[in-house]
């Protein structure tokens, strides 16, 4: 039976966040007390049955230390993925405890290939969704919540994984001219001809362009860039084209810190935002009393990577490493300036309060809609900029190894033994767990392009290096947008 819009759906809930950007809600204190008694952490996602009642075993999974070790974004993604499968079972009249391998295969068919389903997904997306479901069933099996004869063993052992090409074919990326066009028209409000558009009413173009340039030149994940603190911004020096920064384990995807590099130009753009529209937003918020809340984390002193912070909720002080601060803690963190207290996160909304990472998805979507309305054939989402960074770095490094260094094959082998080949270097830049992860994602698009035909020896961003033949070849891949400006 095909699920319909009227099929019963499990409900996704979230406990109250640690910090509310508005005045306290009526009854908020009692709600927080009940959530704390249940073991709910602030902002914790969980699932309720379609009628709104709790299932103790399902809730136990979300309250478990195992689930709590996942990053905030992963927790929310897993909750949404599991909700889909449980709702599918509900629509079939199947209790989740009795789910079998056949149920899983039926679900995979409906989710990916059933023509009656208008929201089918790719193999790679389904594999990520299924990993969340397997994790849930493995945990329930370990704690004995599922009967031994239910066939559940096959559920969490059943591997439904995409072929490698199913993942790489979904890599979408922009060449520099296309990115510049999307940013200028979509974020900065220029017309399709690159000239100022008098009808543009956007107020945050500088902030939005600074954030996009950060992703474009660093390859940071959305969450990593959106949660950055002002004290984590790399210093600008006059010699380096790229500046080294650090992603802390508190916000990194794999729960371990790593270095990143951002272009000096992008860092200067962030600096301009700090002293212009951000400073104005802070001033307005301070004047309106939006910072007069009692649940801030106040930075009392700093020594290198260590902060002495005071939690206004408890009045206690503690020493923390900057990189260990979670997203929720960063959104509560305030530093002191001559003008008073202000948020420590770099990117703020018009309210002067920190922006949640998913806000950027909407901003990028709005910019793409503006491009479409002006018949500019470029769309972009945040992760596309990470793909674009990775592929630009791969092509540049491969070109450097093969052409610029003037090395013979033996010298090239020795150099790679000492410093690593381009795949290892890009793995480091992206923070992947292994070079194989990088290869699985980017090997197919890179192997289809002839680097020596379209890379300029002096400047990768110079579109004049592209011949019409190569541009047509790239467009045919369907993985790259070249932009539409004439040369």
């Amino acid at each position: 039976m095909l699920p319909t819009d009227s099929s019963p759906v499990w409900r996704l809930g979230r406990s109250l966040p640690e910090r509310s950007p508005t005045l306290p809600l009526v009854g908020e204190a009692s709600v927080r007390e009940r959530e704390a008694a249940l073991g709910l952490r602030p902002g914790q996602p969980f699932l309720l049955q379609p009628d709104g009642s709790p299932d103790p075993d399902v809730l136990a999974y979300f309250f478990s230390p195992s689930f709590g070790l996942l990053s905030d974004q992963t927790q929310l993604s897993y909750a949404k993925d599991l909700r889909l499968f449980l709702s599918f079972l509900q629509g079939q009249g199947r209790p989740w405890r009795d789910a079998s391998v056949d149920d899983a295969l039926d679900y995979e068919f409906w989710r990916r290939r059933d023509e009656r389903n208008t929201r089918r997904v790719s193999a790679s997306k389904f594999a990520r969704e299924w990993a969340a479901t397997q994790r849930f069933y493995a945990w329930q099996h370990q704690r004995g919540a599922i009967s031994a004869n239910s066939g559940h063993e096959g559920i969490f052992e059943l591997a439904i994984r995409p072929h490698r090409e199913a993942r790489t074919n979904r890599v979408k990326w922009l060449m520099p001219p296309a990115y510049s066009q999307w940013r200028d028209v979509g974020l900065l409000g220029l017309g399709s001809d690159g000239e100022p558009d008098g009808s543009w009413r956007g107020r945050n173009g500088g902030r939005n362009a600074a954030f996009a340039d950060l992703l474009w030149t660093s390859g940071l994940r959305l969450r990593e860039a959106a949660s950055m603190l002002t004290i984590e911004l790399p210093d600008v020096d006059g010699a380096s084209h790229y500046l080294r920064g650090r992603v802390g384990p508190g916000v990194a995807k794999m729960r371990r810190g790593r270095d990143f590099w951002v272009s000096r130009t992008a860092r200067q753009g962030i600096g301009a935002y700090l002293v212009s529209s951000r400073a104005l937003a802070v001033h307005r918020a301070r004047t309106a009393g939006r910072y007069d809340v009692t649940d801030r984390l106040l930075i009392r002193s700093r020594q290198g990577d260590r902060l002495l912070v005071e939690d206004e909720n408890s009045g206690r002080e503690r020493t923390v490493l900057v990189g260990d601060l979670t997203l929720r803690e960063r959104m509560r963190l305030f530093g002191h300036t001559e003008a008073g207290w202000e948020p420590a996160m770099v990117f703020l909304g018009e309210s002067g309060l920190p922006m949640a990472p998913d806000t950027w998805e909407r901003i990028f979507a709005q910019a793409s809609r503006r491009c479409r309305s002006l018949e500019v054939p470029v769309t972009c989402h945040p992760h596309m900029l990470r793909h674009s960074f990775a592929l630009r770095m791969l092509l540049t490094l491969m070109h450097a190894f093969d052409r610029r260094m003037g090395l013979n094959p033996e010298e090239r082998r020795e150099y790679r033994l000492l410093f690593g080949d381009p795949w290892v270097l890009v793995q480091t830049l992206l923070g992947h767990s292994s070079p194989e992860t990088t290869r699985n994602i980017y090997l197919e698009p890179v192997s289809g392009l002839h680097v020596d035909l379209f890379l300029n020896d002096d400047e990768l961003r110079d579109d004049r290096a592209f011949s019409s033949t190569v541009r047509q070849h790239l467009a045919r891949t369907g993985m790259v947008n070249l932009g539409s400006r004439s040369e």
Side-chain angles (χ1 to χ4, degrees):
M1 181 176 65
L2 177 71
T4 66
D5 292 339
S6 60
S7 299
V9 176
W10 280 66
R11 302 184 183 184
L12 175 65
R14 297 192 75 172
S15 60
L16 292 176
E18 280 185 318
R19 181 175 187 270
S20 176
T22 60
L23 295 175
L25 302 173
V26 175
E28 179 177 327
S30 62
V31 172
R32 290 186 182 279
E33 289 177 2
R34 291 197 298 271
E35 290 178 345
L38 289 170
L40 281 170
R41 296 175 293 277
Q44 173 74 50
F46 56 88
L47 295 179
L48 298 174
Q49 298 183 88
D51 62 1
S53 63
D55 182 308
D57 289 327
V58 174
L59 287 182
Y61 171 68
F62 290 102
F63 302 164
S64 67
S66 173
F67 190 78
L69 290 174
L70 301 173
S71 70
D72 295 343
Q73 187 60 45
T74 301
Q75 288 184 23
L76 181 59
S77 297
Y78 276 23
K80 291 179 178 178
D81 295 339
L82 180 60
R83 175 176 178 252
L84 282 172
F85 183 66
L86 297 186
S87 297
F88 174 84
L89 294 174
Q90 195 84 26
Q92 314 303 307
R94 295 279 291 172
W96 66 265
R97 292 174 179 81
D98 296 337
S100 66
V101 170
D102 287 341
D103 292 316
L105 294 176
D106 287 344
Y107 176 65
E108 189 267 349
F109 173 77
W110 170 72
R111 193 79 175 110
R112 288 194 53 212
R113 293 188 290 271
D114 196 322
E115 293 183 357
R116 295 170 295 173
N117 180 7
T118 59
R119 299 178 179 177
R120 297 188 297 274
V121 298
S122 68
S124 57
K125 179 171 175 55
F126 179 82
R128 292 192 295 270
E129 293 178 357
W130 188 245
T133 301
Q134 286 184 300
R135 192 179 194 279
F136 168 79
Y137 275 92
W139 188 85
Q140 297 291 359
H141 169 60
Q142 186 177 16
R143 71 191 296 263
I146 305 176
S147 58
N149 60 356
S150 66
H152 66 280
E153 292 90 345
I155 284 284
F156 65 81
E157 293 178 350
L158 181 62
I160 309 178
R161 297 188 177 93
H163 295 296
R164 176 179 297 180
E165 60 269 22
R167 182 173 187 181
T168 57
N169 284 340
R170 289 184 56 82
V171 172
K172 302 294 183 182
W173 53 300
L174 298 174
M175 291 307 295
Y179 168 69
S180 297
Q181 189 175 32
W182 175 84
R183 179 196 60 199
D184 293 349
V185 175
L187 296 179
L188 294 176
L190 299 185
S192 57
D193 57 359
E195 298 298 323
D197 182 353
S199 66
W200 171 250
R201 295 293 180 267
R203 296 185 296 273
N204 297 295
R207 178 200 68 189
N208 298 344
F211 183 79
D213 286 345
L214 171 61
L215 296 183
W216 171 256
T217 68
S218 70
L220 286 170
R221 297 180 176 91
L222 173 60
R223 179 185 177 85
E224 295 169 344
S227 59
M228 189 174 296
L229 305 175
T230 55
I231 57 178
E232 291 179 306
L233 289 169
D235 294 330
V236 178
D237 62 59
S240 301
H241 294 294
Y242 273 78
L243 311 170
R244 179 186 291 190
R246 182 77 179 169
V247 176
V251 293
K253 180 179 179 180
M254 305 302 293
R255 292 288 191 180
R256 60 173 182 267
R258 67 179 181 88
D259 290 338
F260 73 93
W261 284 260
V262 61
S263 77
R264 182 175 59 190
T265 302
R267 173 61 180 88
Q268 290 170 335
I270 296 174
Y273 158 65
L274 293 177
V275 299
S276 56
S277 56
R278 185 186 187 277
L280 181 59
V282 168
H283 173 73
R284 289 172 177 166
R286 191 180 285 126
T287 302
R290 296 192 187 101
Y291 298 155
D292 297 335
V293 292
T294 58
D295 61 349
R296 299 175 298 185
L297 284 177
L298 304 179
I299 300 176
R300 292 301 184 184
S301 64
R302 176 188 177 191
Q303 290 186 340
D305 292 335
R306 295 182 180 274
L307 302 178
L308 178 64
V309 299
E310 177 188 348
D311 190 330
E312 286 191 311
N313 284 328
S314 63
R316 297 178 180 174
E317 292 186 348
R318 59 189 175 98
T319 301
V320 297
L321 290 173
V322 174
D324 288 343
L325 292 167
T326 65
L327 174 61
R328 290 196 295 267
E329 290 172 327
R330 288 162 181 260
M331 296 187 75
R332 295 176 56 203
L333 193 66
F334 278 70
H336 196 268
T337 67
E338 294 180 357
W341 293 99
E342 67 177 58
M345 281 179 57
V346 173
F347 296 100
L348 309 179
E350 287 191 69
S351 65
L353 297 170
M355 296 173 62
D358 58 5
T359 305
W360 290 106
E361 297 278 7
R362 296 192 292 272
I363 291 172
F364 276 53
Q366 184 178 19
S368 294
R369 286 195 296 271
R370 172 175 165 78
C371 287
R372 286 195 298 271
S373 70
L374 296 177
E375 298 184 350
V376 174
V378 186
T379 60
C380 181
H381 56 77
H383 206 70
M384 188 183 293
L385 298 186
R386 179 170 165 84
H387 287 322
S388 301
F389 170 83
L391 286 163
R392 290 198 327 277
M393 292 300 104
L394 271 173
L395 296 172
T396 302
L397 290 168
M398 288 177 177
H399 185 53
F401 274 113
D402 294 337
R403 296 292 296 274
R404 291 184 184 174
M405 291 183 179
L407 304 178
N408 61 42
E410 182 61 31
E411 291 170 333
R412 192 178 301 129
R413 282 193 294 270
E414 292 180 0
Y415 189 91
R416 290 182 177 183
L417 286 174
L418 288 173
F419 299 104
D421 65 19
W423 293 102
V424 174
L425 295 174
V426 174
Q427 171 214 346
T428 301
L429 291 170
L430 295 177
H432 282 159
S433 57
S434 71
E436 187 62 24
T437 302
T438 311
R439 289 178 187 272
N440 287 345
I441 299 173
Y442 300 111
L443 179 60
E444 196 273 339
V446 168
S447 63
L449 305 178
H450 298 287
V451 178
D452 57 334
L453 291 179
F454 72 92
L455 276 184
N456 187 299
D457 276 355
D458 298 318
E459 182 61 55
L460 178 62
R461 292 173 294 178
D462 186 354
D463 193 38
R464 292 173 299 179
F466 293 84
S467 68
S468 60
T469 301
V470 174
R471 291 170 66 84
Q472 291 172 6
H473 168 72
L474 292 173
R476 283 196 301 270
T477 68
M479 296 175 292
V480 57
N481 194 315
L482 296 165
S484 62
R485 284 182 185 158
S486 60
E487 299 182 33

